[in-house]
Amino acid sequence: MKARFVLHVGPRRVELREREVESPGPGQVTVETIFSGISSGTELLAYRGEVPPETALDEGIDALSGTFGYPFVYGYSCVGRADDGDLVFAFHPHQDVFTASEDSLIRLPAVDPRAATLFPLVETALQVTLDAAPGYGDTVVVLGLGVLGTLTALLLERTGARTVTAEPLPWRRKLAASLGLRAVPPEEVAEVVRRETGGAGARTVIDATGSPDAPGPALALLAHEGTLLIASWLGTKDATLPLGRHFHRRRLTIRSTQVSTIPAALSGGWTIERRRREAAALLAELPLESLATHTFPVERVAEAFAALDRGEEGVMHAALSYGRGA
């Protein structure tokens, strides 16, 4: 059986290729893909060539092997039908049909398959929220209103946190406001936080901008012993951090947050399996249709990546379609 798949052949160059698919063995099933989502975080860095080529693609995903040295296949958000008819999610590169182990698939509730391609972002936003661990009524700042930042802010609101979001693009702020979030331009966020906290500063700031210029100024927004959580992976880009008065005298913490593991502090009650169950349940509760903005036929994969790379207005999340109904 032949399958079409997406191959990264060089910086900003993707091609649709064809290869053989193995027949399923014991404990395996065949999945026919309906949609596959494109990550505007790690996957866009890979597309641009901004990941060190010796870096492993993802040691936690069986379908990904090798490194980011060209050529490579990448992606981790396929939604399709297993051969028993169930709607499933798979951490698998962009491919129209593939074989996967039964236990690697996530059985999905009755949700829109296109919206379900946001599953990895929902799971990541859930982990960021767990790492932030806000108290009721705490002021938490989210910098960057891409899909991850928006989902994180929505989940933080559900915990009772008072969320302030900052985003330079007016159309993203408008979308966030339509979802009930308080969104301001970056140049206004310091004053909003000052008013909100009586000058004390925010307990937590979450950087979801993907910009190396964001973490430094974010330190000034924090309260005494506050935490800056870095949700963005910068790839080959370096960030400059001013470790002077704000950082040193306020006893601030700078910490990464990401989804491949469960932090030790949460391991007593959380596992990856539990987090994925919770994320799957959230698919029906979050306004994902508002974020799943653009869908491209897989034959136009180069156009899809280029639109994300350019940051075209209105493009929050892009996915590839494979010509199959839900």
Side-chain angles (χ1 to χ4, degrees):
M1 180 169 51
K2 296 281 190 180
R4 294 178 298 167
F5 71 100
V6 174
L7 183 69
H8 291 259
V9 296
R12 291 181 165 85
R13 291 175 55 211
V14 290
E15 296 179 1
L16 194 60
R17 299 282 184 89
E18 198 173 73
R19 63 181 173 187
E20 290 287 339
V21 178
E22 294 181 1
S23 299
Q28 293 185 314
V29 298
T30 299
V31 177
E32 293 189 347
T33 309
I34 303 171
F35 298 103
S36 61
I38 302 174
S39 158
S40 57
T42 304
E43 193 167 2
L44 198 54
L45 289 178
Y47 170 73
R48 292 168 174 162
E50 293 179 348
V51 180
E54 69 276 8
T55 303
L57 290 173
D58 195 315
E59 295 169 342
I61 298 177
D62 291 340
L64 294 175
S65 61
T67 70
F68 284 97
Y70 295 104
F72 59 85
V73 294
Y74 196 63
Y76 45 83
S77 182
C78 286
V79 175
R81 293 281 177 192
D83 49 20
D84 60 6
D86 279 359
L87 186 68
V88 297
F89 176 89
F91 290 97
H92 196 281
H94 306 283
Q95 188 165 314
D96 63 355
V97 60
F98 57 90
T99 299
S101 64
E102 175 74 36
D103 58 8
S104 72
L105 301 177
I106 297 168
R107 304 281 169 168
L108 296 176
V111 294
D112 174 56
R114 170 63 181 91
T117 62
L118 276 76
F119 176 87
L121 289 157
V122 172
E123 186 185 9
T124 301
L126 175 56
Q127 185 60 60
V128 175
T129 302
L130 292 171
D131 284 340
Y136 184 84
D138 282 350
T139 297
V140 180
V141 178
V142 178
L143 305 176
L145 286 171
V147 177
L148 177 58
T150 301
L151 288 172
T152 299
L154 289 170
L155 291 180
L156 287 166
E157 288 283 313
R158 292 162 68 111
T159 72
R162 294 190 174 99
T163 307
V164 179
T165 68
E167 167 59 50
L169 297 175
W171 66 267
R172 282 188 175 181
R173 295 198 302 270
K174 183 178 180 180
L175 175 58
S178 75
L179 300 177
L181 297 174
R182 181 169 36 162
V184 301
E187 61 271 18
E188 296 179 14
V189 68
E191 177 59 23
V192 172
V193 171
R194 188 193 66 78
R195 292 198 310 265
E196 181 82 14
T197 64
R203 176 182 180 273
T204 305
V205 175
I206 298 167
D207 173 26
T209 64
S211 168
D213 299 324
L219 294 174
L221 303 173
L222 288 166
H224 186 76
E225 297 191 2
T227 298
L228 172 61
L229 281 177
I230 308 293
S232 305
W233 187 39
L234 299 180
T236 57
K237 294 176 287 189
D238 291 325
T240 299
L241 293 172
L243 302 183
R245 58 193 181 97
H246 293 306
F247 176 75
H248 194 71
R249 291 192 172 182
R250 292 187 192 172
R251 294 179 175 268
L252 303 182
T253 296
I254 302 170
R255 186 157 55 94
S256 70
T257 171
Q258 61 97 233
V259 75
S260 65
T261 58
I262 298 291
L266 296 174
S267 60
W270 285 88
T271 63
I272 288 177
E273 291 73 23
R274 179 191 171 191
R275 189 182 62 200
R276 288 178 177 172
R277 288 196 304 270
E278 297 288 351
L282 285 168
L283 294 178
E285 300 177 20
L286 294 169
L288 301 183
E289 288 79 6
S290 297
L291 304 177
T293 54
H294 288 67
T295 304
F296 298 80
V298 68
E299 294 82 5
R300 292 165 53 195
V301 59
E303 182 182 341
F305 273 93
L308 280 172
D309 185 35
R310 290 192 299 268
E312 287 187 5
E313 182 168 341
V315 180
M316 284 290 284
H317 182 264
L320 305 176
S321 65
Y322 294 84
R324 297 186 177 95

